[in-house]
Amino acid sequence: DSGVTQTPKHLITATGQRVTLRCSPRSGDLSVYWYQQSLDQGLQFLIQYYNGEERAKGNILERFSAQQFPDLHSELNLSSLELGDSALYFCASSGWGANYGYTFGSGTRLTVV
Amino acid sequence: GENVEQHPSTLSVQEGDSAVIKCTYSDSASNYFPWYKQELGKGPQLIIDIRSNVGEKKDQRIAVTLNKTAKHFSLHITETQPEDSAVYFCAASPVGNMLTFGGGTRLMVKP
């Protein structure tokens, strides 16, 4: 157990639908990052939050949005889902100040049918 | 921003042989270089990291080297075992900034 909790582990939904992925960061970590990993692909950075505020954006589609709540958990919302959105979605958390490595969760596997 | 290139994309070795994965980075301000191992169906896990004030770091069969002048760093795995088979990612970041990941290397260790 890495300390980063992602739910659900698996999600199957139909095209056009909307889903919410949830992430609880490791205790004490203020930064949360979301990544998308398609089959045999690398880690595509989506978005970062730090202590409730958006800090950086990557190649995140307009159909996707995220937020970080006062208790520091984060949610990634994916809407108008397409077949190509099928992927593993990872959340990672980190501390701040000096460089810290990221701690990744075990991911949510999203399948759009 | 930072750009990290990783090579090779796939690497196949015989059990017991050594494996080397290389990464180059572009931002001379980067000073933190972690390596992650991702097993099938799991999230990436930090296996070793190095900071720019150190040229080499070892942890049992794993070592990382850093050449700041050339802006490249490498992961060395000695005496490879089948359980070393996984995807490995390098990353780099300047102080307090986000990690930029390389594209990954799929390592296959043949028994």
Side-chain angles (χ1 to χ4, degrees), chain A residues 39-103:
Chain A
L39 189 64
D40 285 340
Q41 297 294 310
L43 298 164
Q44 300 300 316
F45 170 66
L46 297 178
I47 197 163
Q48 177 203 1
Y49 278 83
Y50 175 74
N51 202 22
E53 295 189 1
E54 182 183 305
R55 184 59 65 98
K57 258 185 176 180
N59 297 322
I60 187 167
L61 300 172
E62 287 191 9
R63 300 183 285 109
F64 296 0
S65 65
Q67 53 184 333
Q68 186 179 28
F69 295 86
D71 67 351
L72 300 179
H73 92 269
S74 178
E75 293 181 356
L76 179 67
N77 301 296
L78 315 176
S79 61
S80 303
L81 285 168
E82 302 175 357
L83 296 177
D85 297 327
S86 296
L88 270 168
Y89 291 83
F90 288 106
C91 163
S93 71
S94 75
W96 195 250
N99 299 104
Y100 293 98
Y102 295 176
T103 301

Side-chain angles (χ1 to χ4, degrees), chain A residues 33 35 37 40 42-43 45 48 56 90 96-97 99-102 104-105, chain B residues 31-32 36 38 42-44 51 89 93-96 98-99 101 103 106:
Chain A
Y33 310 82
Y35 286 84
Q37 186 177 43
D40 285 340
L43 298 164
F45 170 66
Q48 177 203 1
F90 288 106
W96 195 250
N99 299 104
Y100 293 98
Y102 295 176
F104 282 83
Chain B
N31 66 348
Y32 177 63
Y36 289 82
Q38 185 180 21
K42 298 184 178 181
R51 300 181 190 278
F89 291 97
S93 83
V95 175
M98 288 182 9
L99 289 175
F101 286 90
R106 182 174 299 279

Side-chain angles (χ1 to χ4, degrees), chain A residues 4-17:
Chain A
V4 177
T5 303
Q6 288 190 249
T7 57
K9 292 190 182 302
H10 302 277
L11 198 49
I12 302 175
T13 190
T15 55
Q17 295 297 305

Side-chain angles (χ1 to χ4, degrees), chain B residues 1-4 24-30 33 92-94 98-100:
Chain B
E2 177 64 278
N3 182 53
V4 178
T24 60
Y25 62 99
S26 61
D27 189 346
S28 57
S30 285
F33 308 91
S93 83
M98 288 182 9
L99 289 175
T100 299

